[in-house]
Amino acid sequence: MKTTGGQRRDIALSARVRLARNLKDLPFPGRMDADQAEQALARLSKPLLDGGEDGFTLLRLDDGNRLEARALVERHLISPELAGGGQPRGVALSRDGGLSVMIGEEDHLRIQAMGPGLCLTECLREAQRADGLIERQETYAFDEALGYLTACPTNLGTGLRASVMLHLPALTGSGGMRDIVAAAGKMGLAVRGLYGEGTEASGALYQVSNQITLGLSEEEIVSRVSDVTLHIIAREEALRAQYKQRRPREYEDRVWRALGALERARRLSGEEAMKLLSDLRWGVSMGDIALPLETLDTLLPGIQPGVLTLSAARPLRPAERDAARADYVRETLGALARRETK
Amino acid sequence: MKTTGGQRRDIALSARVRLARNLKDLPFPGRMDADQAEQALARLSKPLLDGGEDGFTLLRLDDGNRLEARALVERHLISPELAGGGQPRGVALSRDGGLSVMIGEEDHLRIQAMGPGLCLTECLREAQRADGLIERQETYAFDEALGYLTACPTNLGTGLRASVMLHLPALTGSGGMRDIVAAAGKMGLAVRGLYGEGTEASGALYQVSNQITLGLSEEEIVSRVSDVTLHIIAREEALRAQYKQRRPREYEDRVWRALGALERARRLSGEEAMKLLSDLRWGVSMGDIALPLETLDTLLPGIQPGVLTLSAARPLRPAERDAARADYVRETLGALARRETK
């Protein structure tokens, strides 16, 4: 995906637009038999693989490679639902990872476009482009009054889910997330903690997304998610500035110690690594620690259990995983840390 | 003091020999009036200041500069007792800091010689040399049967206290210090925690010293303290090797994280700094972290409250002191850390 990079990468890690589609002449995946699922996989991947320009490759996910599937989930390239089933299914990934088209999830087709920063408009354009590639060869289940038909009524209409991943350490620390979740809910948006249970986010990472897919245009949905996200970002920004001004040493100590621990630790639990990366990202995004944000954000999927196990190419005991996690983080930061300015 | 550097610096930070002496023709300091104290100060410092070769300078400690006195105590150059009183008193310090002669403490004269590592023999030679400088001009209180007379009977005879500062993190962590303290006691030696209350050592630092000054020659005392110290060192060494072999990741994580925190923290309490320096010194002394031990050992007095306040040249609130401590440690390590090998 060719994006201009997206905005507000200091707080918005990434954006994503997902379109749900179904073929007109096949039952929904939940009611397909294996032959139909195989047919859907072949027919829906063909236009993408033929496309050429995006360099799509198809990964089948019904071949029992649970580990690779888990790693794809942790990298947010596929959903846990797609990873979990036994029917013929797969994902077509573009060469640069910006497009991920899941085939045989809850709907026949889940087209996802993603990019760094608050780049929802670009993501929508990219998802629509992939959608167009397929629609030239296939006919979707569509109703003039309802719009695109989907397996679950919550996706009916546009079939669109626009979401942004936000890093909100100051809002989390100040206890302000409850108000944010409530206010977003009133606007028809959901705010959920990522890499954690419920709204309690590990690493202060949250996903903001629309709940309503019907009665609004794609552009209106994207615009609403962007607007609310910008409001949340402004609130986070104000709290960050306040904290830094009122407790400068506490702030500095926190963000720099996180770097020290990540640079030097020989074992890191997943939870501690998330906490430390969050603190470090805070310092980096404030311009106080000179490290590239992009590299930090690649560490995030890299420290997840499945990705670590996949890299090790063998089963890891918990202690070995904590060691591998520390090694991976330390080696990645080792080269970067020398570029810092203070 | 010109020493050859001393042995076992990995575990023995420093050694010290102290000789207690009193002038024959003056009452003990506790019974002197101000004129007599002034006379003792003048008469006992003169041979040292005349000596030339050692470059002695005399610091008076009855001039109300409490801060400087406190810093000298923290650097182990004078005793808290010398720092605390109002009578005329002072300390003569040799240019290289290897000799510290306190005048007007509990005894008229406390000659201290110190150096890095287990260098008690050199210390004894140096203390005896300074002792000789003074005895050429003055006559000590001496009894043929009892030896040198001292204010407190525990110093009677040789007036000698030989002590070694040891870093014993593995013995501390394994709970083995109780046995060490008991066994040393049976040999007439005391083992005390340093920079802490009672035997609970902050930073796993301990002082081993003789309790008996009577009935043994100076050389016998020094030899006994050296022998017991070498036994304690061997025990510490065995426990370190065991810990590293049985829990290599835990060991590595501990010593490297200490470096990370010391390199990066923006505030450090005295207690945390001692704990971290202890862990770091462990890794350095095992050869796993390539930093010069000497520099680490200069950090130890540098992080004490009085020394920090003296450096700041103004009163520091506790939060400011924690900030100054972190800054001092970070700046000292900053230059060194680039020399590490792994």
Side-chain angles (χ1 to χ4, degrees):
Chain A
M1 173 175 168
K2 297 101 205 156
T3 70
T4 52
Q7 298 180 316
R8 300 311 311 255
R9 291 190 62 174
D10 55 338
I11 293 174
L13 277 79
S14 60
R16 156 183 324 251
V17 161
R18 177 268 278 162
L19 299 174
R21 300 287 186 263
N22 287 280
L23 289 168
K24 190 183 173 73
D25 59 352
L26 283 178
F28 287 137
R31 299 186 162 239
M32 289 194 297
D33 62 28
D35 285 347
Q36 290 169 320
E38 197 68 63
Q39 192 194 128
L41 185 57
R43 282 169 56 189
L44 291 169
S45 57
K46 186 175 178 297
L48 300 171
L49 299 172
D50 289 350
E53 164 188 15
D54 293 299
F56 275 104
T57 47
L58 182 68
L59 284 173
R60 288 195 70 123
L61 291 159
D62 53 335
D63 58 0
N65 190 342
R66 318 296 302 155
L67 194 55
E68 184 169 41
R70 184 175 173 190
L72 288 170
V73 172
E74 289 171 355
R75 293 167 63 203
H76 295 281
L77 290 172
I78 66 170
S79 64
E81 291 71 25
L82 189 74
Q87 283 270 52
R89 59 182 57 204
V91 60
L93 296 169
S94 68
R95 193 186 301 111
D96 65 4
L99 280 165
S100 152
V101 181
M102 294 189 278
I103 303 168
E105 213 244 34
E106 187 184 282
D107 295 298
H108 291 145
L109 206 52
R110 288 279 174 98
I111 301 168
Q112 294 190 110
M114 49 234 146
L118 188 48
C119 60
L120 283 175
T121 308
E122 292 95 327
C123 287
L124 177 60
R125 199 162 53 225
E126 283 293 289
Q128 286 172 333
R129 192 173 60 77
D131 191 34
L133 283 177
I134 298 166
E135 211 171 8
R136 257 180 260 155
Q137 302 189 20
E138 296 289 348
T139 306
Y140 291 143
F142 184 83
D143 178 276
E144 281 302 326
L146 292 172
Y148 292 102
L149 301 179
T150 54
C152 177
T154 57
N155 293 312
L156 213 56
T158 56
L160 183 148
R161 177 91 69 231
S163 59
V164 184
M165 198 199 289
L166 297 178
H167 180 225
L168 307 173
L171 268 164
T172 303
S174 71
M177 281 311 296
R178 203 174 316 178
D179 289 349
I180 295 286
V181 172
K186 286 179 193 158
M187 302 281 296
L189 302 190
V191 179
R192 290 193 194 86
L194 276 179
Y195 298 109
E197 295 299 309
T199 54
E200 189 55 43
S202 172
L205 293 174
Y206 298 84
Q207 190 182 59
V208 182
S209 63
N210 62 306
Q211 296 289 79
I212 296 163
T213 55
L214 196 65
L216 291 169
S217 73
E218 283 86 344
E219 286 71 18
E220 282 168 335
I221 293 171
V222 159
S223 157
R224 180 175 291 190
V225 174
S226 287
D227 288 351
V228 171
T229 298
L230 284 170
H231 271 95
I232 298 175
I233 288 175
R235 186 85 196 102
E236 168 72 14
E237 214 170 16
L239 285 172
R240 287 185 183 193
Q242 199 180 78
Y243 182 63
K244 187 174 164 178
Q245 196 204 337
R246 291 192 187 161
R247 307 188 199 173
R249 270 279 166 178
E250 182 177 316
Y251 159 76
E252 285 209 345
D253 190 59
R254 179 172 172 176
V255 301
W256 282 102
R257 271 185 194 247
L259 177 59
L262 290 166
E263 282 174 326
R264 299 297 193 182
R266 260 56 179 174
R267 44 182 201 178
L268 279 173
S269 71
E271 197 182 324
E272 189 192 7
M274 290 297 292
K275 163 82 180 63
L276 293 172
L277 273 178
S278 172
D279 285 347
L280 175 57
R281 194 184 198 283
W282 187 351
V284 170
S285 64
M286 298 285 278
D288 294 311
I289 299 181
L291 289 174
L293 264 186
E294 313 87 75
T295 313
L296 283 198
D297 292 347
T298 62
L299 283 174
L300 207 61
I303 61 171
Q304 304 305 321
V307 175
L308 287 169
T309 307
L310 196 63
S311 303
R314 65 181 178 88
L316 296 176
R317 291 193 308 266
E320 292 176 318
R321 208 159 57 203
D322 288 354
R325 184 180 288 113
D327 292 346
Y328 165 69
V329 170
R330 194 173 67 254
E331 282 152 23
T332 308
L333 287 178
L336 294 177
R338 296 178 195 100
R339 292 164 55 184
E340 84 197 51
T341 55
K342 82 174 195 181
Chain B
M1 172 175 169
K2 298 102 203 157
T3 71
T4 52
Q7 297 180 316
R8 299 311 312 255
R9 291 189 62 175
D10 55 338
I11 293 174
L13 277 80
S14 60
R16 158 182 324 251
V17 161
R18 177 267 278 163
L19 299 174
R21 299 286 186 263
N22 286 280
L23 289 168
K24 189 184 174 72
D25 59 351
L26 284 177
F28 286 137
R31 298 184 165 238
M32 288 193 297
D33 61 28
D35 284 349
Q36 289 170 321
E38 197 67 65
Q39 194 196 127
L41 186 56
R43 282 169 56 189
L44 290 169
S45 59
K46 185 173 177 297
L48 300 171
L49 299 171
D50 288 352
E53 165 188 14
D54 293 299
F56 275 105
T57 49
L58 182 68
L59 285 172
R60 288 195 69 122
L61 291 159
D62 52 335
D63 59 358
N65 189 342
R66 319 293 304 152
L67 193 55
E68 184 169 42
R70 184 176 173 190
L72 287 170
V73 172
E74 288 171 355
R75 293 166 63 203
H76 294 282
L77 289 172
I78 65 170
S79 63
E81 291 71 27
L82 189 74
Q87 284 269 53
R89 59 182 56 205
V91 60
L93 296 170
S94 67
R95 193 187 300 112
D96 65 4
L99 280 165
S100 152
V101 181
M102 295 189 278
I103 303 168
E105 214 244 33
E106 187 183 282
D107 295 299
H108 292 146
L109 205 55
R110 289 279 175 99
I111 301 167
Q112 295 190 110
M114 48 235 147
L118 187 49
C119 60
L120 283 175
T121 308
E122 292 94 328
C123 287
L124 177 61
R125 200 164 51 227
E126 284 293 289
Q128 287 172 332
R129 191 173 61 77
D131 191 33
L133 284 176
I134 298 166
E135 211 172 6
R136 256 179 260 157
Q137 302 190 20
E138 296 289 347
T139 306
Y140 291 143
F142 185 82
D143 177 276
E144 280 303 325
L146 293 170
Y148 292 102
L149 302 179
T150 54
C152 177
T154 56
N155 293 314
L156 212 58
T158 56
L160 183 147
R161 177 90 69 231
S163 59
V164 184
M165 198 198 288
L166 296 178
H167 180 225
L168 306 173
L171 268 164
T172 303
S174 71
M177 281 311 297
R178 203 174 314 178
D179 289 349
I180 295 287
V181 171
K186 287 180 192 156
M187 302 280 296
L189 303 188
V191 178
R192 289 193 195 86
L194 276 178
Y195 298 109
E197 295 299 309
T199 54
E200 189 56 42
S202 172
L205 292 173
Y206 299 84
Q207 190 182 60
V208 182
S209 63
N210 62 305
Q211 297 289 79
I212 297 163
T213 56
L214 196 65
L216 291 169
S217 73
E218 282 87 345
E219 286 71 18
E220 283 167 335
I221 293 171
V222 159
S223 158
R224 180 176 292 189
V225 174
S226 288
D227 288 350
V228 172
T229 298
L230 285 171
H231 271 94
I232 298 174
I233 288 175
R235 185 85 194 102
E236 168 72 15
E237 214 170 15
L239 286 172
R240 287 186 184 192
Q242 199 179 78
Y243 183 62
K244 188 173 162 178
Q245 196 204 339
R246 290 192 188 161
R247 306 189 200 172
R249 271 280 165 179
E250 183 178 314
Y251 158 75
E252 286 209 344
D253 189 59
R254 179 172 172 176
V255 300
W256 282 102
R257 271 184 194 249
L259 177 59
L262 291 166
E263 282 175 326
R264 298 298 192 184
R266 261 53 180 175
R267 45 182 202 176
L268 279 173
S269 71
E271 196 183 325
E272 189 192 7
M274 289 295 293
K275 163 81 180 66
L276 293 172
L277 273 179
S278 171
D279 285 347
L280 175 57
R281 195 183 196 283
W282 187 352
V284 170
S285 64
M286 298 284 280
D288 295 312
I289 299 181
L291 289 174
L293 263 186
E294 313 86 77
T295 313
L296 283 199
D297 292 347
T298 62
L299 283 174
L300 207 60
I303 61 170
Q304 305 305 321
V307 175
L308 286 168
T309 307
L310 195 64
S311 303
R314 66 179 179 86
L316 296 176
R317 291 193 309 267
E320 291 176 319
R321 208 160 56 203
D322 288 353
R325 183 179 290 113
D327 292 346
Y328 165 70
V329 170
R330 194 174 67 252
E331 283 153 22
T332 307
L333 286 179
L336 292 177
R338 293 177 199 101
R339 292 163 55 185
E340 85 197 50
T341 56
K342 80 172 196 182

